Amino acid sequence: MASLKQIFNWEEPGLLDTESSLRHWLLLAKIILSNMIIVVSAVGTAIPMNEIQGYMAVDATKIDWVESGFLLALGVAVPLSIFFSRKYGFKRLYFVGVALFVLGSFIGGISTNYYTLLSARAIAGIGGGVIFPVSLTVIRRVFKGNSLKVAVTLYVAMTFGVGLGLGCIIGGVLSQIYAWRTVFLLGVYVGVPCLLFTWVLMIETGIYPTPKFDLISFVFFALFLISTLFYLTQVKAPWNTLGFRSNFSIGCMMVSIGFLFAFLLRYKRAKSPLFALSIFRRKEFTICCIAMAFVGVMIFGSSVSFINLLVQMYEYERNMVGIVISMFGFCFGLGGLIPIVFGKWVKIHFFAVAGLMLVAASCFVNHSLTIQSTPGDVLFILILRALGTSLSLGPLTAISLQNMPDDLAGQASAIVTIFRQVGGAYGTSLISIFSTVRFPFHLTRFAEMVNVNSAPFQDYIAKYTNRVIDTAGKPDVLAEMYSHGYVIANVSKQAYVAAFDDAFYIFGWMFVGLTVLMLYLAFSKEQKKALPKRS
């Protein structure tokens, strides 16, 4: 029987034997739980966002940063995770990541103003960005052979599949029955036990020689991502009437490009650059990174956009929204098993091709949505998209890392993760931009179709006016005004849904192009050109 001192020994806890199979699987369960709660926090907090916006008294442009900022922080923190995990140990950094996530969740749950909430989400996002890369590294160290395949499969399916599904349901139910704060505080309730389990189950790794951290490159990299997101959220803001042509938008774009050039210039001069950009000489890696960014848009950006659509246009209750969107997560988890089951007989490239084609198909089917669409219509689109993204996510990652030199494998994995997370962070803003651009066209088109002098229109106005008089007791003139207002609101909603459909129609053609590129990779020879070794 181990003593308390042995159980809580940081370097090698004595609760279970080091090579115990039970300890390995309990450690995996703890890793899955801590990763799942990050995904739950990412999608669950999007459901009560309208309630949060009203409480904080901010416009839609600002409130988008609460969700997008969290996802962006996940990507920005990846380089920090890679460097500090090798410098200070994987267990220590994992513990710090969970602690940061718990702290951010707690501050978010008690926030009373917008900027406190935004800061809390950034802290939680940095914590999550530290946890994700370290988790997979720990799994690869603990499990070997067939056990490793099973562990990674469970990790991906439970984290992204079940996590997305549960996140939507939990976010919808808690915000509907209790309050939006409970969705944030859930990270505290789950995160604190994860801290304890990390202490008593995970063994500290050794400290590895690391080059000097290129802080200047990291600052330029982070500022480039943040300024780009700022540009995307402000370019079609209501106050920015000139949109892309305004001096403000052009200035933001120039600042963002300036940070990118500064980062690239620093890369040329640094002895130990933040990223080994020479990896992009491999066509497989470059194409897969681009595809991964668009898959990230469909996983996170599409989910959040559909949540906003169901709440604002279809006026679903939040628990109903959670149930509908949760099917995306559960189908995502099931679809991720297909490449593993049939991978022995089918070239991995064709799973990616099939997945990208399914995503493209879901975007084209999306164009059939109207304000009269049923939950079944929405579910069909989400299930199709979930199967497509899950089929392509794993294979794209595997293809990008094929034949990668050992000294660059860690860098390549980090870059792929960043592309996925940044795609998710920018996805909602990109969909919003496309929708905003197309909304005036559809509003004008549908308004022209309304013939106020037609007999059906007059008959509808008369029936709805009588209904308002009978149910609300309004005077005749006021009731007729309400009736006309109701028609105008429905026309605006249909125009918004049509603009929303157009945004995904554009993405559908982008995925067709990605499918062609992936087919090119499937039938071309693998590139085995040696890459320069850089630390």
Side-chain angles (χ1 to χ4, degrees), residues 352-364 381 383-389 391 515:
V353 169
L356 294 174
M357 289 177 63
L358 283 175
V359 175
S362 75
C363 291
F364 293 137
I381 294 170
I383 291 172
L384 200 62
R385 190 165 298 159
L387 292 175
T389 51
L391 271 176
T515 303

Side-chain angles (χ1 to χ4, degrees), residues 136-289:
L136 197 54
T137 304
V138 171
I139 292 173
R140 291 177 62 185
R141 287 174 174 272
V142 171
F143 294 94
K144 306 295 179 184
N146 291 330
S147 297
L148 176 60
K149 295 180 182 179
V150 174
V152 172
T153 302
L154 286 173
Y155 169 76
V156 173
M158 295 295 291
T159 297
F160 294 101
V162 178
L164 279 169
L166 285 180
C168 294
I169 294 176
I170 292 172
V173 171
L174 289 181
S175 59
Q176 181 74 28
I177 298 177
Y178 298 104
W180 61 267
R181 298 182 184 278
T182 55
V183 184
F184 288 89
L185 293 175
L186 184 65
V188 180
Y189 305 145
V190 177
V192 171
C194 285
L195 286 173
L196 177 62
F197 294 145
T198 299
W199 193 304
V200 299
L201 290 176
M202 188 179 291
I203 296 174
E204 183 60 281
T205 58
I207 297 174
Y208 299 90
T210 53
K212 184 179 179 181
F213 184 69
D214 191 359
L215 180 61
I216 297 176
S217 291
F218 175 76
V219 171
F220 286 143
F221 168 74
L223 289 176
F224 164 67
L225 294 182
I226 294 171
S227 60
T228 302
L229 181 59
F230 183 77
Y231 168 76
L232 293 175
T233 56
Q234 300 299 317
V235 69
K236 297 303 291 184
W239 63 267
N240 191 4
T241 54
L242 291 178
F244 296 99
R245 295 175 294 129
S246 70
N247 292 333
F248 180 83
S249 298
I250 295 173
C252 288
M253 183 176 63
M254 296 303 295
V255 169
S256 178
I257 294 173
F259 284 131
L260 176 60
F261 272 107
F263 171 74
L264 295 175
L265 185 63
R266 176 65 183 177
Y267 167 77
K268 290 290 186 180
R269 297 182 177 181
K271 294 181 179 179
S272 300
L274 189 65
F275 298 116
L277 299 184
S278 59
I279 305 175
F280 286 99
R281 296 180 185 178
R282 288 181 176 270
K283 61 184 179 183
E284 297 93 346
F285 184 80
T286 303
I287 293 173
C288 287
C289 281

Side-chain angles (χ1 to χ4, degrees), residues 307 323 358 414 454:
I307 288 171
I323 293 172
L358 283 175
S454 65

